[in-house]
Amino acid sequence: MRKARRSGRVTLAEVAREADVSAITVSRALRDPEQVSKATMERIDAAVRKLGYAPDMAARALASRHTNVIGVLIPSVTNNVFSDVLRGIYDALDGTRYHLQLGNTRYSVLEEENLLRIFLSQRPAGLIVSGIDQSPATRAILENANCPVVQIMETGPDPVDMMVGFSHREGAKAAVAHLAEAGYRRIAFLGARMDPRTQRRLQGYQDALKQYGLGEDADLIVTTPRSSSVTLGGWLFGELVSRRPDVDAVFCNNDDIALGVLFEAQRRNIAVPHALGVCGFNDLEMMASACPSLTSLRTHRERMGREGIDMLIRAIEDDRPEERVVDLGFEVMRRESSTGPAR
Amino acid sequence: MRKARRSGRVTLAEVAREADVSAITVSRALRDPEQVSKATMERIDAAVRKLGYAPDMAARALASRHTNVIGVLIPSVTNNVFSDVLRGIYDALDGTRYHLQLGNTRYSVLEEENLLRIFLSQRPAGLIVSGIDQSPATRAILENANCPVVQIMETGPDPVDMMVGFSHREGAKAAVAHLAEAGYRRIAFLGARMDPRTQRRLQGYQDALKQYGLGEDADLIVTTPRSSSVTLGGWLFGELVSRRPDVDAVFCNNDDIALGVLFEAQRRNIAVPHALGVCGFNDLEMMASACPSLTSLRTHRERMGREGIDMLIRAIEDDRPEERVVDLGFEVMRRESSTGPAR
DNA sequence: TTGTACGCGTTATCAG
DNA sequence: CTGATAACGCGTACAA
């Protein structure tokens, strides 16, 4: 006779025996109490509590061929931008039956592809991915995943399935337009980690310059492939000033850079906003508290997370929203750092 | 005859048929190529690729009664402190066969307990939890989890299993001692979200005051249960100044608060460091770049993550480190914001 | 090195 | 509302 290889855990069968019903009844009672009579429900409840039963997710997934796992892929856990999105995601998940499985792609399309394969091998109920710059292979995987998919952070013309975000190009354009309208004329672009999303912000910057008849000047665009930080903002600004001492405003690819610019300007006794206008991107919490307070483009990160999950869950539960692409827009938060140059 | 309820996915059996071997051979080939002859390995490889086979994690977990999932519980995804820890964790996990499952307890012992139950129902290979302030129930669960457990972020006398962190009380004491030695005499404590960890930092502050013969003054301790932010740092400082205009230094429970203090001081024309010494806690990247640069207590967050995972994996693979408790210490980063009061 | 037989704990299906 | 039976896809134990 073969050996039993039980794991020591309490199983449905044992609960069933204790409650004097069949296993399937316990299974039903746990998943949908409505389907079971009140009396048996009570006995089952008691048995569950007495034995300390906890369902085995693996067995459940195997038998039902689905899980309540929602896979979320973000490019960075260190970036404040994504932590806000995550907060929205957690909030939206609260009280639902879905769990979160988080993957960190570290801005690598290859890692994204690998993580996606791993996720799909767990039969997720739905997937959330960041951005619209998936590799063709990743895109193919997503299109064949037999679960709903939401792309967040950005909108674009060709959603895999659903989308919630905003146009980074339009956002950047609006921010730079604000600097131009405030009277700044030699507006620089400071950018770190020049990924496709940042490239689109650069395009928005160029769009605005053109619109306001401010000729382009390659010296005013200072970028680096390194990932952004406050310190890096200071360096980029130093480089900019050495190239073009007459620069009168900077549009920063994100808020860390902008804060670094502010500190470096203070160090060099360059007055913000009279000698230098500063504008960031994302509007992290600190921007409003800085001295002077820092202008930035507010993006609705928490909402992207929350609405992404809402759309996903609706799709999972066969109640797809009508609009497949939701544009949450942005808002230029005008503050002291961009009130205009001295005249 | 019963209906088959196949899911449409490619299974081991199909790969086996394609490669003309038995299913178990494919299973072995995938998990440990050494066990299979080179020739069959190649056929299996080809079949896997041809059919696009991906293992079913649920089936694997059910049959083997274990997973390669490492569960990590952190109190916040928004807090920079934990994102650094996470980065260390991801780095350490890179190239291993283990996956991360992240849980966000939102500083709630109840949520921690719930998440733990969910995690354990998936038979994790190991667990990482943050801090040493688990509820008795949580602690009991952890002690009965049949997998290794590492507590990170803090050290304490009574590890559940393993531990890697530092003493927040000693850290705070060292930071405040530095302020005292720089010549500051009326040193305040500014704290947000007064969780037990923050309370221990407050004790360290009091230890240092006592050591330097600086009598305690309740007015110099300004706290709030709200969670910390730069803005909140400004408010707390405002409250402090209205209570005790003669304060000459602040020790901040974290760096966000410290930055908020700096901005608010600038707004009020209070000179840092001559009229006010400022010291933060954690030494986030921005501290060194601020103007003036901000003194802070550096903690080794990335290393805590990395070494936590290393210890855990060693334990999982039956190679437990000898030291169950690793104290990574801290370092006072002396910068411009605490060079001493005007004399 | 490879294969056979079976069990892991649950749910789908069909019958009552 | 409840139950019997057979899958779900894979790994373990043992045998060859």
Side-chain angles (χ1 to χ4, degrees):
Chain A
M1 196 183 106
R2 300 279 170 175
K3 270 203 206 120
R5 39 181 162 116
R6 319 244 9 276
S7 63
R9 289 179 52 144
V10 180
T11 70
L12 258 194
E14 298 173 52
V15 175
R17 203 175 313 131
E18 177 75 26
D20 201 31
V21 290
S22 72
I24 187 64
T25 302
V26 179
S27 170
R28 278 197 279 254
L30 264 38
R31 281 174 298 151
D32 186 5
E34 308 288 301
Q35 288 187 50
V36 169
S37 78
K38 196 142 181 296
T40 52
M41 189 65 218
E42 277 166 15
R43 271 182 301 142
I44 290 173
D45 246 23
V48 165
R49 231 186 304 281
K50 175 174 173 190
L51 301 179
Y53 168 77
D56 183 317
M57 292 309 182
R60 187 171 269 189
L62 181 58
S64 70
R65 279 148 310 157
H66 72 258
T67 65
N68 291 331
V69 171
I70 289 180
V72 174
L73 254 34
I74 59 173
S76 164
V77 288
T78 317
N79 191 324
N80 287 315
V81 170
F82 293 101
S83 23
D84 288 336
V85 176
L86 271 183
R87 192 144 39 96
I89 289 177
Y90 276 111
D91 284 351
L93 245 25
D94 211 25
T96 72
R97 60 204 180 87
Y98 299 96
H99 306 313
L100 176 63
Q101 168 114 25
L102 186 65
N104 177 10
T105 69
R106 299 192 239 186
Y107 288 99
S108 150
V109 285
L110 238 78
E111 285 216 45
E112 182 168 47
E113 213 177 303
N114 287 333
L115 281 168
L116 221 40
R117 277 191 234 285
I118 293 173
F119 277 22
L120 286 174
S121 79
Q122 325 202 18
R123 307 173 181 282
L127 286 173
I128 289 192
V129 298
S130 303
I132 58 177
D133 300 301
Q134 286 79 26
S135 71
T138 300
R139 202 176 159 101
I141 296 177
L142 286 174
E143 278 163 353
N144 294 316
N146 52 3
C147 69
V149 176
V150 177
Q151 290 163 288
I152 59 171
M153 300 307 291
E154 191 160 2
T155 52
D158 192 19
V160 169
D161 182 0
M162 290 170 288
M163 223 174 219
V164 48
F166 69 100
S167 164
H168 290 240
R169 182 166 177 172
E170 290 300 321
K173 183 178 173 187
V176 175
H178 159 65
L179 289 174
E181 294 198 337
Y184 298 104
R185 283 299 164 262
R186 289 170 301 285
I187 305 172
F189 177 92
L190 260 41
R193 188 190 296 101
M194 295 303 288
D195 53 26
R197 192 159 20 224
T198 307
Q199 300 284 1
R200 287 188 282 276
R201 292 182 194 170
L202 176 54
Q203 286 177 352
Y205 159 82
Q206 290 163 332
D207 293 344
L209 290 195
K210 186 173 294 174
Q211 184 188 330
Y212 284 83
L214 305 174
E216 264 195 59
D217 178 343
D219 278 350
L220 286 174
I221 300 177
V222 185
T223 66
T224 165
R226 302 178 51 194
S227 61
S228 87
S229 68
V230 178
T231 306
L232 192 61
W235 289 348
L236 290 174
F237 182 61
E239 169 69 18
L240 171 66
V241 167
S242 73
R243 285 196 207 169
R244 291 294 304 261
D246 62 334
V247 60
D248 68 356
V250 288
F251 168 61
C252 305
N253 145 59
N254 69 43
D255 289 340
D256 286 351
I257 303 280
L259 187 60
V261 168
L262 175 64
F263 288 140
E264 188 62 25
Q266 290 175 340
R267 218 167 269 121
R268 292 169 183 246
N269 284 312
I270 297 174
V272 174
H274 295 315
L276 183 77
V278 177
C279 177
F281 196 108
N282 276 321
D283 197 33
L284 298 183
E285 178 264 337
M286 64 186 179
M287 300 301 271
S289 295
C291 178
S293 59
L294 289 164
T295 294
S296 191
L297 187 86
R298 175 169 295 177
T299 57
H300 307 290
R301 300 181 293 286
E302 224 177 302
R303 274 187 67 202
M304 288 188 242
R306 216 167 37 237
E307 301 205 5
I309 290 290
D310 286 345
M311 292 172 77
L312 194 66
I313 291 182
R314 286 188 56 181
I316 292 169
E317 298 177 351
D318 276 326
D319 175 31
R320 278 183 176 277
E322 292 185 13
E323 298 299 332
R324 297 162 68 88
V325 178
V326 175
D327 187 336
L328 257 29
F330 46 78
E331 189 181 351
V332 179
M333 304 301 290
R334 292 144 209 249
R335 302 209 180 87
E336 295 162 359
S337 71
S338 64
T339 49
R343 15 180 356 221
Chain B
M1 196 184 106
R2 300 281 171 172
K3 273 207 204 113
R5 35 179 165 120
R6 319 239 14 272
S7 61
R9 287 179 51 143
V10 180
T11 69
L12 258 193
E14 298 174 52
V15 175
R17 204 174 312 128
E18 177 75 25
D20 200 33
V21 291
S22 73
I24 186 64
T25 303
V26 179
S27 168
R28 278 196 280 251
L30 264 41
R31 281 172 300 148
D32 187 4
E34 307 289 300
Q35 288 186 49
V36 168
S37 77
K38 197 144 178 292
T40 51
M41 189 63 219
E42 276 166 16
R43 270 182 302 144
I44 289 173
D45 245 23
V48 165
R49 233 186 303 280
K50 176 174 174 190
L51 301 178
Y53 169 77
D56 184 318
M57 292 309 184
R60 188 172 269 189
L62 182 57
S64 70
R65 278 149 312 162
H66 71 256
T67 65
N68 291 331
V69 171
I70 289 181
V72 173
L73 255 34
I74 59 172
S76 164
V77 287
T78 316
N79 192 323
N80 287 316
V81 170
F82 293 102
S83 23
D84 289 335
V85 176
L86 271 184
R87 191 143 40 96
I89 288 178
Y90 276 111
D91 284 351
L93 245 25
D94 210 26
T96 72
R97 59 205 182 88
Y98 299 97
H99 306 313
L100 176 62
Q101 168 115 26
L102 186 65
N104 178 9
T105 70
R106 299 192 237 188
Y107 289 99
S108 150
V109 286
L110 237 78
E111 285 215 45
E112 181 168 46
E113 215 177 301
N114 287 333
L115 281 168
L116 221 40
R117 276 191 234 285
I118 292 172
F119 276 22
L120 286 174
S121 79
Q122 325 204 17
R123 309 173 181 284
L127 286 172
I128 289 193
V129 299
S130 302
I132 59 178
D133 300 301
Q134 285 80 25
S135 71
T138 300
R139 202 177 158 99
I141 295 177
L142 285 173
E143 277 163 353
N144 293 317
N146 52 4
C147 68
V149 176
V150 177
Q151 290 162 290
I152 59 171
M153 299 307 291
E154 191 161 2
T155 51
D158 193 18
V160 169
D161 183 359
M162 290 169 289
M163 221 174 223
V164 49
F166 69 100
S167 165
H168 290 239
R169 181 166 177 172
E170 291 299 322
K173 183 177 174 188
V176 175
H178 159 66
L179 289 174
E181 293 198 337
Y184 298 104
R185 283 299 165 263
R186 290 170 301 284
I187 305 172
F189 177 93
L190 260 41
R193 188 191 296 101
M194 296 304 287
D195 54 26
R197 194 163 14 227
T198 307
Q199 300 284 2
R200 285 188 284 276
R201 294 182 192 170
L202 177 55
Q203 287 177 351
Y205 159 83
Q206 290 164 330
D207 292 345
L209 290 194
K210 185 172 296 172
Q211 183 187 334
Y212 284 83
L214 305 174
E216 266 193 59
D217 178 342
D219 278 348
L220 286 175
I221 299 177
V222 186
T223 66
T224 165
R226 303 179 50 195
S227 61
S228 87
S229 68
V230 178
T231 306
L232 192 61
W235 290 347
L236 290 174
F237 182 61
E239 168 69 19
L240 171 65
V241 168
S242 73
R243 285 194 206 169
R244 290 293 304 263
D246 63 332
V247 58
D248 68 356
V250 288
F251 168 61
C252 305
N253 142 61
N254 68 43
D255 289 340
D256 286 350
I257 304 280
L259 187 60
V261 168
L262 174 63
F263 287 140
E264 188 62 26
Q266 290 175 343
R267 218 167 269 122
R268 293 169 182 246
N269 283 313
I270 297 174
V272 174
H274 295 315
L276 183 76
V278 178
C279 176
F281 198 108
N282 274 323
D283 197 33
L284 299 182
E285 178 264 338
M286 62 187 181
M287 301 301 271
S289 296
C291 178
S293 59
L294 288 164
T295 295
S296 190
L297 188 85
R298 174 169 295 177
T299 58
H300 308 290
R301 299 181 295 286
E302 224 177 303
R303 274 187 66 199
M304 286 188 241
R306 217 167 36 236
E307 301 204 6
I309 290 289
D310 286 344
M311 291 172 79
L312 193 66
I313 291 182
R314 287 188 57 180
I316 292 170
E317 298 177 351
D318 275 327
D319 175 33
R320 276 180 178 278
E322 292 186 11
E323 298 298 333
R324 298 163 67 90
V325 179
V326 175
D327 187 335
L328 256 29
F330 46 78
E331 190 181 351
V332 179
M333 304 302 290
R334 293 144 207 247
R335 301 208 180 89
E336 294 163 358
S337 72
S338 65
T339 49
R343 14 180 357 221

